[in-house]
Amino acid sequence: MIDTILQAHYREKLAVTTSLRPTREQVITATELARKFNVPFKDRDGLSLKTLASNLNIPGLLVVSSLKISYVSGQQEFFFHPGLARLRIKGLKYGKTDQMIRAMSLKEGETLLDCTMGLGSDAVVASYVSGGTGKVVGLESSTVIAVLVEHGLQTYCDPENDIAMSMRRVKVFNIDHINYLSGLDAGSYDIVYFDPMFRYPRHKSPSINAMRNLANPEPVKRETIEKALRVARKRVVMKERRNSPEFKRLGFNEFVGGKYGPVAYGVIER
Ligand SMILES: C[S@@+](CC[C@H](N)C(=O)[O-])C[C@H]1O[C@@H](n2cnc3c(N)ncnc32)[C@H](O)[C@@H]1O
């Protein structure tokens, strides 16, 4: 059901193409993606991405190239990259505190359900901490984001093996978190985590800006937090702007985060 709705949503504004001189494999991958989303596959025919998108009257294209799959819209390109996750993991290796991990109180061997996976940076850092004996599952309702990030998590060649393994271990589901939470048994995960799109965007992170057109902008529902509290064995954590009214609306009244940082982590203990 969800897939049908999403495909209808993308049909009007998406097509798949390749880089200018694609290999046979790239054309096959692009054709398969087009079929999956039920959107057109278009040969590049030597055209620029801007011209191709304008000819099709769509805001952006999924582009399969030799190194990656990306979504290109105007000047913006969205693709998977470990970004800040690498720096945060390096920080952890040097004994630095990661505020998200502190808020989650996440330990090796524990399980985390990331209900708003996005680019997967938080999920990868959590996967590094929970390790091979733990489990991290990422939920993402935007099909384009879910497909690009899952592909990136499974294929990105990181020079550091433990970081690459942290990516490979994250399991991705393209689903709305409320539906997934509804189907889980009580206490299925140690921690349930939310990092929704900010109600008032900060426009600072280029990668989040590039994915803004694709992301689900809906606020988290109170009912979702109730379901998350049933599923979490230890705690539910939400990242938002410091002092965001969202914390109060959703029942968060304990906070973790650097004193002067722009974001805070709300915690509800079980
Ligand atoms: C701010 S981003 C998350 C960034 C992520 N924590 C990271 O480290 O890259 C929020 C993501 O949650 C997704 N999202 C919003 N509502 C959702 C829902 N109901 N179910 C699943 N995903 C949702 C959006 O599409 C977006 O990709």
Side-chain angles (χ1 to χ4, degrees):
M1 180 65 177
I2 288 176
D3 258 10
T4 321
I5 296 167
L6 285 168
Q7 283 175 356
H9 172 72
Y10 288 119
R11 201 169 305 140
E12 291 97 58
K13 43 186 196 177
L14 194 67
V16 186
T17 189
T18 61
S19 49
L20 278 168
R21 276 174 290 278
T23 60
R24 213 176 101 76
E25 283 72 33
Q26 284 163 30
V27 175
I28 292 171
T29 306
T31 321
E32 279 168 1
L33 271 180
R35 196 171 315 121
K36 181 169 179 157
F37 289 121
N38 196 16
V39 299
F41 165 75
K42 292 286 170 189
D43 267 330
R44 273 298 280 276
D45 270 342
L47 296 173
S48 71
L49 292 173
K50 191 174 165 207
T51 307
L52 190 53
S54 148
N55 289 352
L56 296 166
N57 198 21
I58 53 174
L61 289 151
L62 269 186
V63 184
V64 178
S65 62
S66 59
L67 293 177
K68 59 183 190 279
I69 303 175
S70 51
Y71 174 76
V72 180
S73 174
Q75 296 298 312
Q76 297 187 325
E77 183 177 17
F78 171 74
F79 56 93
F80 172 80
H81 60 87
L84 283 180
R86 296 197 85 246
L87 279 180
R88 289 168 62 189
I89 291 174
K90 284 181 177 246
L92 286 166
K93 287 182 183 178
Y94 284 111
K96 273 179 74 176
T97 300
D98 183 280
Q99 297 297 347
M100 179 195 79
I101 297 297
R102 185 159 81 97
M104 290 174 176
S105 180
L106 184 68
K107 312 268 183 322
E108 190 174 352
E110 290 189 332
T111 56
L112 171 84
L113 181 64
D114 179 351
C115 289
T116 49
M117 185 192 63
L119 264 170
S121 299
D122 290 336
V124 170
V125 175
S127 167
Y128 172 78
V129 172
S130 65
T133 53
K135 179 171 84 171
V136 174
V137 169
L139 309 180
E140 175 53 58
S141 59
S142 156
T143 307
V144 174
I145 296 176
V147 167
L148 296 195
V149 174
E150 183 182 36
H151 182 267
L153 288 167
Q154 290 311 315
T155 56
Y156 188 87
C157 294
D158 197 282
E160 289 179 53
N161 191 48
D162 52 356
I163 299 184
M165 286 302 110
S166 304
M167 293 179 201
R168 304 289 185 270
R169 282 196 299 270
V170 177
K171 197 160 172 45
V172 178
F173 291 112
N174 174 208
I175 188 168
D176 193 300
H177 50 228
I178 197 162
N179 295 345
Y180 195 76
L181 287 164
S182 303
L184 290 175
D185 290 338
S188 305
Y189 285 83
D190 291 308
I191 296 131
V192 179
Y193 175 62
F194 296 87
D195 172 17
M197 300 302 284
F198 287 157
R199 298 292 86 214
Y200 307 99
R202 291 171 58 227
H203 292 294
K204 285 241 172 90
S205 154
S207 46
I208 294 281
N209 278 346
M211 75 180 239
R212 200 168 294 284
N213 293 337
L214 300 167
N216 180 347
E218 289 297 311
V220 176
K221 298 182 176 70
R222 286 181 65 116
E223 186 195 350
T224 304
I225 298 295
E226 280 160 25
K227 288 182 189 292
L229 280 165
R230 189 183 60 84
V231 166
R233 250 192 308 270
K234 278 176 59 183
R235 48 177 65 186
V236 174
V237 176
M238 184 174 81
K239 176 180 169 188
E240 250 295 347
R241 285 180 82 110
R242 177 172 301 285
N243 301 324
S244 164
E246 287 296 278
F247 284 128
K248 187 160 183 236
R249 179 178 72 82
L250 296 167
F252 290 86
N253 43 29
E254 189 188 322
F255 303 99
V256 171
K259 245 188 178 165
Y260 305 106
V263 301
Y265 295 89
V267 177
I268 308 178
E269 298 265 8
R270 291 283 294 115

